[in-house]
Amino acid sequence: IQGHTNTATTAPNSVLLLANDLGIGDLGSYGNRTLRSDIRVSRHLAAAPLCTPGSQPDWTLPGALRSVVHGGMAAQSRVGVFLFPASSGGLPATEVTFARLAKARGYTTAIVGKWHLGLSCRHPRDFCHHLQVHGFDQFFGLPTTNLRDCKLGAGTVFEGPGCRCSDPGRPALPRLGPLPPAAFLGLLLPVVILLGGHFLFRRYFWPLHCFLMCDFEVAQQPLDYGNLTQRLTEEATGFIRWNSQKPFLLLLSYIHVHTALFASPEFAHRSWHGAYGDTVEELDWSVGRILQVLDKLGLAGCTLVYFSSDQGAHVEEVMATGEVHGGSNGIYRGGKANNWEGGIWVLGILCWPGVIPAGCEVDAATSNMDIFPTVAELTGALLPHSPRVIDGWDLMLLLWGQSQRLAHEFLFHYCNAYLQAVRWLAVMDPGACWIEVDVSPFRPAGANSCFPTHVCLCQGPTHMTSYDPPLLFNLARDPGEAAPLTPHTEPHHQAILGAILEVVAEHRGSVSNVPNQLAPHGLEAMPWLCRMEQGSGVALRGSSGAQVETPGLLEQLSVTEKPCCQSLHSRVSPWH
């Protein structure tokens, strides 16, 4: 890469493609034969091993990781992600996203796919956490993540594995004597209320909480998985076509390959790797379609394309039949929801013909938190003044050969609000990469997953194994984290641990205390925040920014007007 010059235009476009739970061992450019890349960053790390807390540091002001972990978008309880669009928590309006910076520089911005950072606070139409509050002009997709409960027959995430109604190994409860009728009814009533509430929740979860949105409106309710990835891809390519004459920023946040798995008819039952392979092949098709449209429109040479995953593969996703619905993290230990390498070592692929050379590999450590400053630099935006410590750096310094490594020296890996591991990219020894592990969710300690709970938990003595002193690995020699170092196998063991622990103490002092968006009151589904489809009306944004309700607007469009969520309608769109 050394010596390559920048031939990009002064206002390059950015297309950011983010898969959901895709493993580093699933793609051709990382060992398999599914997808090829132009340039690969081989040590690319996720901001967090879970969806919601991992998204904020990727999309907001560098340093947001330090506010996300203690009271921001990282839970201090068991549930660490938003499960309901009717939750009141979400990304605060005070956060600065790369879309807001790009929009201030004249860019048109959009998200297609998954948002997962909240919608409303007190009223279903206050939209205090909505994407357009954060600088995105357009949105088509899911307000939360894909859940098994949203696909009929795919199971539920609200009942843990291993539950059973009776346990022969437990001693029998003592027999109670006859109860007066009033006492019996007093005990029966709470049971009936709980069972009735559970029934109603299961019965109406799908129609109430599983829907597609177009900007501020419900576009489809309940959600239909048929051709969903193709519809998202059509929306993304339509946005590119419509904005081909002006700078744009597009974030395509895929639903694939999060469960419940689904695939369009053209890809269903085609892969040797079952339903999971079908979704990866359809994802591959979608990425190829985006690149094809950019090339056809002559935009490839002025557009940075970035492809990654929000975290590692969910290795515990195995059906009762034995069919694997999770991906591969290759040689790396662990996966989604834990901070072993399999949970945070993710794909990093970039494409920009004529600007960054094809077929190269960058071995320096990078993070998907680097995307924010990279996009800001490409748009010409200045990062706003902030007391936060910068956690991300401009990737173009590496891609253009202006630096051999970014300024990452220590990276802090959290599960929800709990620091679990610290990575030291020692400047004194560029070939070494030390990681110190304080706790592990695996039980027994030598395991590689959390099958009893289906997803690894972040806290609690019954779910975590603590290490004192912490485990220490040299990832350059032991990328699979198989053999912890000891004072006998590493002469500098005590000095390395001491240096890391000193930095940890300093880091804890830099973490901001902000309102906890993922506290129980922010996670629960509030009935008054539920949304129902309002008919065929379409909401557009006028020049004044006010929302305009126009029933049947698609029938009145001229060739110069852009329809909203055109993939849901059979009418031919001017985007195409």
Side-chain angles (χ1 to χ4, degrees):
I1 302 176
Q2 185 66 38
H4 196 85
T5 58
N6 177 11
T7 59
T9 62
T10 56
N13 309 308
S14 295
V15 174
L16 311 176
L17 310 174
L18 193 65
N20 199 344
D21 294 359
L22 188 66
I24 198 170
D26 291 332
L27 300 191
S29 51
Y30 282 79
N32 288 339
R33 290 188 158 186
T34 303
L35 188 67
R36 296 290 176 259
S37 65
D38 279 73
I39 192 167
R40 184 181 72 162
V41 284
S42 58
R43 288 199 285 165
H44 202 46
L45 302 166
L50 280 171
C51 306
T52 297
S55 296
Q56 181 186 354
D58 297 351
W59 305 351
T60 61
L61 178 68
L65 179 62
R66 297 170 192 264
S67 64
V68 82
V69 292
H70 278 181
M73 299 292 287
Q76 299 178 23
S77 56
R78 177 170 177 170
V79 180
V81 299
F82 291 116
L83 298 175
F84 312 105
S87 297
S88 62
L91 185 64
T94 53
E95 293 296 329
V96 179
T97 64
F98 52 50
R100 185 177 293 177
L101 295 183
K103 186 174 180 178
R105 297 289 298 174
Y107 280 68
T108 303
T109 59
I111 284 185
V112 175
K114 183 185 79 167
W115 169 234
H116 211 184
L117 289 174
L119 283 179
S120 300
C121 294
R122 296 179 176 85
H123 184 275
R125 299 196 70 82
D126 65 24
F127 296 115
C128 63
H129 304 305
H130 193 276
L131 302 85
Q132 293 195 6
V133 173
H134 296 289
F136 291 97
D137 295 309
Q138 298 164 31
F139 170 54
F140 174 64
L142 279 65
T144 53
T145 193
N146 176 28
L147 293 176
R148 287 187 175 277
D149 300 75
C150 290
K151 184 180 180 183
L152 298 181
T156 178
V157 300
F158 296 103
E159 293 181 3
C163 294
R164 51 185 173 182
C165 297
S166 63
D167 189 342
R170 293 182 179 177
L173 293 174
R175 295 177 61 88
L176 298 176
L179 290 175
F184 176 76
L185 291 176
L187 292 174
L188 181 62
L189 183 60
V191 174
V192 171
I193 292 174
L194 288 174
L195 291 177
H198 178 74
F199 171 79
L200 292 174
F201 177 82
R202 292 293 304 277
R203 174 65 177 82
Y204 293 105
F205 182 90
W206 178 53
L208 279 180
H209 297 284
C210 306
F211 55 85
L212 286 173
M213 290 190 72
C214 169
D215 293 338
F216 293 96
E217 299 303 313
V218 173
Q220 183 185 66
Q221 189 180 35
L223 171 66
D224 179 11
Y225 281 98
N227 299 310
L228 178 57
T229 299
Q230 296 188 17
R231 285 180 283 161
L232 297 177
T233 306
E234 185 180 357
E235 286 293 328
T237 56
F239 173 81
I240 293 172
R241 287 190 175 97
W242 183 259
N243 294 284
S244 60
Q245 302 301 313
K246 52 187 176 182
F248 61 83
L249 184 153
L250 169 65
L251 172 59
L252 176 48
S253 182
Y254 285 103
I255 314 304
H256 282 333
V257 290
H258 195 290
T259 52
L261 299 181
F262 62 94
S264 302
E266 293 85 348
F267 295 93
H269 312 295
R270 196 172 82 170
S271 171
W272 288 358
H273 297 282
Y276 187 84
D278 293 341
T279 64
V280 174
E281 291 191 11
E282 186 168 30
L283 179 66
D284 183 19
W285 165 83
S286 176
V287 173
R289 178 67 175 151
I290 299 294
L291 297 177
Q292 182 185 53
V293 168
L294 287 172
D295 188 60
K296 183 178 179 180
L297 295 175
L299 298 175
C302 58
T303 303
L304 172 68
V305 179
Y306 165 80
F307 179 87
S308 188
S309 179
D310 54 356
Q311 64 258 331
H314 192 174
V315 297
E316 294 87 2
E317 280 287 5
V318 180
M319 300 294 288
T321 59
E323 182 179 4
V324 176
H325 277 200
S328 168
N329 294 313
I331 65 172
Y332 303 110
R333 188 177 179 185
K336 175 180 179 176
N338 63 78
N339 281 293
W340 294 91
E341 291 299 273
I344 54 177
W345 198 306
V346 293
L347 311 145
I349 300 172
L350 297 102
C351 174
W352 194 351
V355 179
I356 57 177
C360 293
E361 180 174 332
V362 173
D363 190 47
T366 57
S367 166
N368 47 25
M369 288 186 293
D370 298 326
I371 289 303
F372 184 105
T374 302
V375 170
E377 181 68 23
L378 291 177
T379 61
L382 296 177
L383 296 180
H385 177 72
S386 171
R388 292 177 178 173
V389 180
I390 301 244
D391 286 314
W393 303 92
D394 181 11
L395 283 172
M396 301 312 296
L397 298 174
L398 287 175
L399 304 182
W400 287 335
Q402 298 173 1
S403 175
Q404 296 302 309
R405 58 174 292 164
L406 296 182
H408 294 300
E409 184 175 5
F410 291 93
L411 289 170
F412 304 91
H413 302 298
Y414 281 81
C415 183
N416 289 346
Y418 304 97
L419 183 62
Q420 289 190 340
V422 180
R423 182 182 311 264
W424 184 15
L425 306 163
V427 177
M428 60 184 180
D429 184 2
C433 178
W434 311 97
I435 189 163
E436 169 250 33
V437 178
D438 294 286
V439 294
S440 171
F442 300 153
R443 289 294 182 94
N448 191 42
S449 57
C450 303
F451 278 100
T453 54
H454 184 67
V455 66
C456 291
L457 304 180
C458 300
Q459 64 169 351
T462 60
H463 302 294
M464 309 300 298
T465 301
S466 299
Y467 300 102
D468 187 16
L471 302 182
L472 182 67
F473 300 91
N474 186 343
L475 298 177
R477 298 198 300 261
D478 182 19
E481 298 170 294
L485 298 173
T486 68
H488 300 289
T489 58
E490 171 52 58
H492 303 291
H493 184 274
Q494 295 300 326
I496 295 168
L497 270 185
I500 293 176
L501 293 176
E502 183 178 342
V503 171
V504 167
E506 180 182 348
H507 165 77
R508 291 188 189 277
S510 72
V511 175
S512 306
N513 287 317
V514 295
N516 190 348
Q517 299 295 324
L518 286 166
H521 65 270
L523 286 171
E524 295 169 357
M526 305 299 178
W528 55 89
L529 294 182
C530 289
R531 289 169 171 78
M532 294 297 292
E533 187 173 7
Q534 299 297 318
S536 61
V538 177
L540 298 179
R541 302 297 290 186
S543 58
S544 64
Q547 186 169 310
V548 182
E549 299 279 349
T550 313
L553 182 64
L554 287 176
E555 300 304 320
Q556 307 170 23
L557 287 175
S558 70
V559 295
T560 60
E561 293 174 305
K562 178 180 69 63
C564 182
C565 302
Q566 47 81 33
S567 70
L568 292 175
H569 306 277
S570 59
R571 182 183 175 91
V572 177
S573 165
W575 282 15
H576 298 273

